[in-house]
Amino acid sequence: MRVIEAGHPVPDAAGLAATFETLTLADAAGPDDLVLVLISGGASANWIAPALGLSLAEKQALTRALLASGASISEINAVRKHLSRIKGGRLAQRAAPARLVAVAISDVPGDDPAVIGSGPTVPDPTTLADARAIVAHYGVGASDIVARALQDPANETPKPGQSVFASTSFALATRPAEALRQAEAAVREAGYDCVLAGSQIEGEARAVAAEHAALARRLAAQGRRVVILSGGELTVTLRGSGRGGPNQEYALALAIALAGTPGVAALAADTDGTDGGTGRPDDPAGALIDASTLARARRLGLDPERLLNDNNSTEFFAKLDDLLKPGPYFHQRQ
């Protein structure tokens, strides 16, 4: 088995070459062939084949703008699907009439097959009009070429009921709720109470952090020995010029909201091993905080509120040596 390492969350040239190879394989499949497709979170960035007329650079620029806009993952993927030759059911379209079986690991709220990896093997319920509305709503600075592509009927995705899906199937191998159930079992086995805040949490990272801080303070005031678990897909609307990701921004906002509440610690991390970042092996997956975080930061001359407003959570946690850097699994194996 050959492994090709590709960029995430912003696509790169390695992903582009690998995607064209994937499409060539799909094109070669005949009616007696089985096409097995394994999909996980991150596939939207790894499988990149811009629609005709679009360059990789234009797709990269749009991806960065969408990630910075505060749009949800389902909204981001609705746009990406209409600017792609593999997303939004087009891989199934290329493989037809072969039998296609897709097995996916979900990391998106709701476990919608059309959102996981931007749904390369399933019908797409979203439309070009939806994609244009999302770009307009979030004020995403799309180039003239992207704007024209979102007006081109040729870039509409295959829809439910079309014959290209007649020989396809889709199954989930696992989902966030199952991972959280396993974590809850481990928490209770270790002797803690467990509060499951939800597996489908969405919203601005700092807003969700404020809600969770209030919950943690209530539980701490009751003297409970408890672990709060949650999962979902948080967003960050970039207004500053710093570096970070939704988990790091959540952790910084949480530390500020907790204001050093004794006995409370937290870990916020992305299950794919990177939180924002530039695709480097040492990109952080998230960060850790405890009751000493703010005091240690101020001893170092750090201003948590200023860094949060600059979306610069990476600098904050790097100087505290509190970034979580497990590294992508592929790098750990090397």
Side-chain angles (χ1 to χ4, degrees), residues 66 71 74-82 124-138 150-151 156-157 159:
L66 286 166
S74 59
E75 291 171 322
I76 291 172
N77 286 357
V79 177
R80 293 198 281 199
K81 284 187 280 192
H82 289 90
D124 179 28
T126 69
T127 65
L128 279 165
D130 294 330
R132 292 193 297 268
I134 290 163
V135 168
H137 177 75
Y138 288 98
L150 291 177
Q151 293 284 350
E156 189 55 272
T157 47
K159 303 302 177 197

Side-chain angles (χ1 to χ4, degrees), residues 149-260:
L150 291 177
Q151 293 284 350
D152 187 348
N155 289 328
E156 189 55 272
T157 47
K159 303 302 177 197
Q162 290 187 216
S163 60
V164 296
F165 301 108
S167 298
T168 66
S169 65
F170 181 95
L172 280 175
T174 191
R175 64 193 80 200
E178 292 169 3
L180 285 173
R181 279 197 291 271
Q182 293 292 323
E184 180 180 5
V187 163
R188 295 192 183 281
E189 186 177 348
Y192 293 86
D193 289 338
C194 187
V195 172
L196 184 57
S199 63
Q200 301 182 28
I201 295 175
E202 295 183 276
E204 281 285 328
R206 61 184 68 186
V208 175
E211 295 171 4
H212 287 184
L215 172 60
R217 293 177 83 140
R218 288 197 302 272
L219 293 171
Q222 296 168 12
R224 292 179 61 182
R225 193 167 182 263
V226 63
V227 173
I228 302 168
L229 293 175
S230 67
E233 191 86 29
L234 303 185
T235 53
V236 172
T237 303
L238 282 180
R239 298 182 176 88
S241 57
R243 292 187 303 121
N247 289 280
Q248 295 165 77
E249 178 141 327
Y250 166 92
L252 178 51
L254 185 67
I256 293 170
L258 286 170

Side-chain angles (χ1 to χ4, degrees), residues 39-40 102-108 110-113 116 169-176 178:
I39 309 166
S40 70
V103 182
I105 296 173
S106 171
D107 72 340
V108 300
D111 309 316
D112 185 348
I116 302 167
S169 65
F170 181 95
L172 280 175
T174 191
R175 64 193 80 200
E178 292 169 3

